[in-house]
Amino acid sequence: MEQLREGFEEELNRETARRIEEMEKPDYTFPRRFGRKDYLLWGAAVAACLLCLILGARL
Amino acid sequence: MRRKRGSLEEGIAQEALFGSLPILANERLYGFLDGLLLLSGYCIATWSYTQGAYLASLVGFRQLLIGAFFGALLMLCLYQLPVILSVRYGIDIWIWLRAVFGGRGIQVMTAVIIVVNYPWYAVCADLFASSMERLASLLGLPLPGGAHGPLGLVCILLGTLLALRGPRAMTAVTRALVPLLLAVGVLVLIVGFRAVPFSAIWDYRPAREEENALAYLISIEANFAFVITLVGGMAGIPRLMRSERAGFWAGVLGQGLSGSFFVVIGAVIAIATQTVTGRMTEDPTLMLAVLAAPAMALCSLLLVAFANIGTQAVGAYLYGVMLKSAFRTARYRRILFLLTVYACGLTLWGGVVEYFGSFLTLSACIYAPLAALLFSDFFFVRRQRLSLRSAFGLPGYGAYRYSGGFNLVGLCCVAAGAALSLAVYDPVSGTVHCPALFFLTPTGLSFLGTAALYRLLSLIPPIRRYLLRDRDEITV
């Protein structure tokens, strides 16, 4: 049982290392990143929510 | 040997879906819509009705509308932004949090999260049981007195069985279930507004003793605390998604709009029930039985009851993934078994629903500092770069070993954040200790304070060296 567990852990580590090496390749395409427009939209959403909460206190 | 090797390979192949391996870009399963449906399905449960009825005991309907939607969206926008790391690297946030807490530290933190969070599933199971009892009564088949507990267990067990099948099975269920639930939600809303004059709901104000400003702040705190409980499992679905934008907004909108919509529905029918019967209740089954025609109540109750099973399933999967990120070699099935036993124990105890308000804010004492540390570490301390090999604990890479597996700085900041929250407000007695800081709400203050503390500590050279031993190992 212990041998099986150690074998599983070794396989897991091997597969993890393989996947990280895959990500390190120059031609690996990461998922599309959060860009400048996304951060601007995020900022606008935060500001709008905050404003609405402040206005809600006056009701 | 060959048979053992084969089952080993099969087990490894499953590990990506269950959290122990990074998911590569070409393995992603979901776009924005599937992510939105899954995360909506996670949030839509009859606990939303309990929250809605609780909020209606604090503030008038218009303030409740604003707090439920904008309070939830604000807190989600803030604390869920680091979920983009999960999309980028295909990892759960608990892999990143090894850098914040250390290898042993995340094992302690995930265990704490389970202890304080899993009572939610007891709330779910309790309300499922009530729904089933009410349904049976509507059908003329009253159940024996002791059926409540076992019915709650049925909800947990069915959810667990679905979670065992993994995310693909859950996707198939939520694609059908969530649109139906949203449609039922609209119908229930119509029932509520038609049961009483519109002004009875729109102009509703609770009879209470606290002044309006304090009650409004407590309601905002309740909304913040309600959504921040999702932090532990927030990356389980986004790490399976195809873009950072989709991963972020699916979570914020799925949880902030769908979840809040059902909170508002809960408030509407609680107010309508009070107007009709003179008594407000958080039991949605009683509300619907009073306000709706039996056939309508039957459909609504049936679908909402199944929403609870869907929530159990998605929740069990997400927390299973969380625990597997911290305990990488533990079997997913064994983890689910332990979670199921815990949820069943809480359900049979039955005390969680009674202490709902205190439970919300007490649990937020842990979630807010946790979310703050992730935010501060990702954006300001590590600047979005992580040593993946050390984060996965690969042999020979010990940048996140810190002090015997514990990052003392991160753990102290969690304690400080929790203390800050409790110093301002006692959630058990409902006493405000520091009115001057209470305007930020205990959850908001704890989030901002912990993030600032961690960032400031990281600027002190010896602490900076302690935290950033990983810079030479950064490769992506």
Side-chain angles (χ1 to χ4, degrees):
Chain A
M1 186 69 163
E2 191 58 36
Q3 250 186 332
L4 197 62
R5 190 184 160 82
E6 281 170 8
F8 178 74
E9 190 168 354
E10 279 168 19
E11 278 293 327
L12 198 62
N13 288 338
R14 240 192 304 273
E15 180 63 16
T16 305
R18 186 192 73 76
R19 284 165 179 263
I20 295 172
E21 282 162 19
E22 190 67 33
M23 280 195 255
E24 289 166 345
K25 288 182 182 169
D27 59 350
Y28 180 81
T29 308
F30 282 90
R32 199 161 61 244
R33 283 179 78 135
F34 218 63
R36 190 161 180 271
K37 280 186 193 166
D38 295 303
Y39 281 109
L40 284 172
L41 180 61
W42 172 84
V46 168
C49 289
L50 204 48
L51 185 64
C52 289
L53 288 177
I54 293 168
L55 291 174
R58 293 168 171 270
L59 289 175
Chain B
M1 185 62 133
R2 194 175 295 170
R3 195 166 60 212
K4 276 187 190 170
R5 178 90 194 153
S7 68
L8 194 60
E9 282 168 357
E10 281 167 21
I12 294 293
Q14 288 292 309
E15 287 299 313
L17 285 178
F18 298 128
S20 310
L21 294 171
I23 304 206
L24 298 174
N26 61 358
E27 294 174 324
R28 304 301 170 91
L29 299 176
Y30 304 132
F32 172 75
L33 193 56
D34 272 331
L36 184 74
L37 288 174
L38 268 166
L39 291 166
S40 296
Y42 176 43
C43 280
I44 299 173
T46 40
W47 61 35
S48 302
Y49 293 159
T50 308
Q51 171 78 347
Y54 173 62
L55 293 175
S57 71
L58 293 170
V59 291
F61 183 69
R62 281 169 265 180
Q63 283 187 324
L64 187 152
L65 261 187
I66 287 174
F69 281 109
F70 296 108
L73 286 168
L74 174 64
M75 186 46 68
L76 285 163
C77 278
L78 287 174
Y79 88 79
Q80 290 219 349
L81 191 58
V83 90
I84 61 178
L85 75 91
S86 294
V87 183
R88 190 175 304 168
Y89 300 119
I91 61 175
D92 198 85
I93 57 162
W94 291 95
I95 300 296
W96 186 287
L97 284 169
R98 189 184 288 255
V100 177
F101 295 121
R104 290 196 194 279
I106 54 161
Q107 291 178 342
V108 170
M109 285 303 300
T110 51
V112 168
I113 292 290
I114 291 296
V115 167
V116 301
N117 190 275
Y118 241 62
W120 275 117
Y121 300 95
V123 173
C124 235
D126 181 85
L127 294 169
F128 172 86
S130 298
S131 300
M132 291 294 111
E133 287 171 323
R134 195 73 59 189
L135 272 169
S137 175
L138 277 174
L139 291 169
L141 302 163
L143 297 173
H148 192 85
L151 282 171
L153 299 187
V154 167
C155 178
I156 294 166
L157 293 172
L158 289 174
T160 303
L161 285 173
L162 191 54
L164 277 170
R165 303 200 53 195
R168 288 192 178 92
M170 292 186 310
T171 310
V173 169
T174 52
R175 274 182 185 162
L177 191 61
V178 171
L180 278 173
L181 288 173
L182 290 170
V184 166
V186 169
L187 284 173
V188 171
L189 200 61
I190 292 170
V191 163
F193 273 105
R194 287 180 63 130
V196 296
F198 178 78
S199 59
I201 294 173
W202 187 249
D203 296 330
Y204 164 82
R205 287 190 184 277
R208 50 169 164 69
E209 291 171 9
E210 300 97 344
E211 57 163 310
N212 182 60
L214 181 61
Y216 181 66
L217 281 171
I218 293 173
S219 78
I220 299 302
E221 164 62 20
N223 285 304
F224 283 175
F226 188 63
V227 296
I228 208 166
T229 59
L230 301 165
V231 66
M234 78 185 200
I237 300 301
R239 73 193 174 95
L240 297 168
M241 294 183 71
R242 296 189 191 106
S243 78
E244 293 182 12
R245 177 188 295 166
F248 174 70
W249 288 112
V252 169
L253 297 177
Q255 293 159 139
L257 292 182
S258 302
S260 299
F261 178 54
F262 276 81
V263 168
V264 169
I265 291 172
V268 166
I269 55 179
I271 295 167
T273 308
Q274 180 176 270
T275 306
V276 169
T277 67
R279 198 178 134 255
M280 186 174 286
T281 173
E282 76 276 1
D283 183 347
T285 60
L286 183 57
M287 295 185 223
L288 286 168
V290 166
L291 299 174
M296 168 73 186
L298 193 77
C299 290
S300 312
L301 288 170
L302 204 57
L303 274 170
V304 170
F306 281 108
N308 284 329
I309 295 174
T311 298
Q312 290 282 354
V314 177
Y317 170 73
L318 293 180
Y319 286 99
V321 165
M322 179 186 84
L323 287 171
K324 270 203 69 62
S325 300
F327 301 92
R328 291 185 71 221
T329 57
R331 294 292 183 175
Y332 176 69
R333 282 173 180 260
R334 193 166 296 168
I335 287 174
L336 277 197
F337 173 74
L338 290 172
L339 290 176
T340 302
V341 167
Y342 182 45
C344 289
L346 288 170
T347 301
L348 292 173
W349 170 51
V352 179
V353 176
E354 190 184 337
Y355 298 105
F356 184 75
S358 303
F359 152 60
L360 264 189
T361 304
L362 260 177
S363 54
C365 288
I366 296 294
Y367 300 133
L370 171 69
L373 286 169
L374 178 65
F375 190 100
S376 191
D377 191 79
F378 178 66
F379 285 109
F380 303 120
V381 178
R382 256 163 259 281
R383 296 188 184 270
Q384 307 191 32
R385 309 290 299 283
L386 183 78
S387 165
L388 287 174
R389 287 180 172 80
S390 284
F392 277 98
L394 295 186
Y397 295 90
Y400 305 133
R401 225 165 263 155
Y402 299 112
S403 312
F406 295 96
N407 179 342
L408 301 176
V409 178
L411 291 167
C412 286
C413 286
V414 169
L420 189 57
S421 177
L422 293 170
V424 167
Y425 178 66
D426 180 346
V428 178
S429 66
T431 311
V432 178
H433 295 305
C434 185
L437 291 174
F438 191 73
F439 82 96
L440 288 173
T441 75
T443 298
L445 177 66
S446 181
F447 182 85
L448 294 170
T450 309
L453 176 64
Y454 187 67
R455 174 56 177 151
L456 288 171
L457 287 174
S458 78
L459 296 174
I460 300 170
I463 296 179
R464 189 168 187 78
R465 283 193 293 275
Y466 180 80
L467 291 174
L468 294 177
R469 297 173 192 177
D470 60 346
R471 300 292 93 181
D472 292 338
E473 292 179 13
I474 306 293
T475 54
V476 290

